[in-house]
Amino acid sequence: MVEIRPFRGVLYNPLVVEDFSRVVAPPYDVITERRMEQLLSRSPYNIVRLILRVEPDESRFWNRSAALFRAWKMGEVLVADLEQGFYVHRQTFSSPLGGSLTRTGLVAALRCRPPGTSILPHEKTFPRVRQERLNLLRACKANFSQVFTVFRDPDGEVLPVMEKAAAGRPLLEFRDDEGVEHRLWRLDSPGDLEALVRYLSERRLIIADGHHRYETALAYSRETGADDDPDNAAGYVSVTMVRSEDPGLLILPVHRILEPPLPGLREVEERLSPFFDSSPIPGDASRRRGSLAEAIQGEEKPAFVLATREGLVRFILRQGVQPHKVIPGKESRLWKELDISVLHALALDRCLGLDTDKLAEEGRLRYTPWESEALDAVTRGEAAAAILVRPTRMDDIWKIAEGGERMPHKSSYFHPKLPSGLVIFDHQIAFR
């Protein structure tokens, strides 16, 4: 059973902050050093000052964050909303695939429960990241961004309620520096709140993005004893819930950037040949025209493109190779037949002898949804290889999650990201 409830959000004061695009930021896990410098320069109140270490040697940044968070509330840079409610957050954006899309989510407080029943994860996480986030939560007692979740609404019962709220004047609206238009409304009609709580209690939620944030909130709920108290805000986490049927629910591929050196392309092809057919792609990464990932679109079998400074090669699983028989482990047949699973477990781990989990933890296997970023890293000599993949389908994410399994790290990228700093879930204020 999914347990949600309305809350009083903490928002930036429009009398202090005239341009919200200067204070919100992407989630912490996609902010590069260069991006952080840009965000810091945009405003003394940018949310990045609370969610990340500002100085490289700042080992306990969460203590500074907690003091700054208190100061911003006392100085009314941040103010509590007038009353409890849900929030409707709408993002309108240009799709990288062409055209414009709109995605609408419902922001609520979600009771922290162990994953696996009504709240389903779909990706693995990194312990080091969870610990840093837990320290921040302990110090500030607040969520500065939402966990992105997806639920099924086949009969469209939630959509009219959100649309009714969105027909009014928004609490705030702005366009961020990536061109995404944001609008936020409060939904506080008692009848609508009750209907949504009742309907969504029967749904399942998939954690689409924010696995670390959810696991951190769950750990904090347990250590504070809040998991036994339905009125303790420490037992909740702030989430944005998006309908699985929303036409703006866009999933991009997550390409791999590999730093450790690989053998030459010919040797890579030989090592992968028992399981993969390979074929060169004319040209090189630095002179590409259009998307190279299009070379594997439409393939029925798992496929990927490998780009090194030597050249470009397309790999497709050989006819007759059955991943569930050649990939070791207790995972299901469905899990072993995913593109990402075949790439990691069979091509990289088994054939090339790489420990992808360890490399990811060390930061030597990186991820990006942008093909140009992956290929440029190779061209500039910053990486040994780029691996271009296809996007994971929402239907497969549901099947894997409902089967109680998790995909490899960074198997999906829901675009655009939810911003940090839009609505803050402050434990001291949320349910008052």
Side-chain angles (χ1 to χ4, degrees), residues 11-55:
L11 296 88
Y12 277 98
N13 186 345
L15 299 177
V16 177
V17 176
E18 295 182 359
D19 184 354
F20 285 87
S21 69
R22 294 187 172 275
V23 293
V24 299
Y28 65 89
D29 56 339
V30 297
I31 299 177
T32 62
E33 246 181 81
R34 182 179 177 183
R35 184 79 177 100
M36 185 170 71
E37 291 176 2
Q38 293 172 341
L39 292 167
L40 290 172
S41 68
R42 293 178 71 84
S43 169
Y45 306 124
N46 191 283
I47 197 69
V48 77
R49 298 178 188 275
L50 300 182
I51 64 175
L52 285 176
R53 62 182 76 244
V54 176
E55 301 296 335

Side-chain angles (χ1 to χ4, degrees), residues 158-173:
V158 172
L159 183 60
V161 182
M162 293 195 295
E163 290 294 343
K164 184 168 70 171
R169 183 177 179 180
L171 291 175
L172 59 90
E173 55 183 323

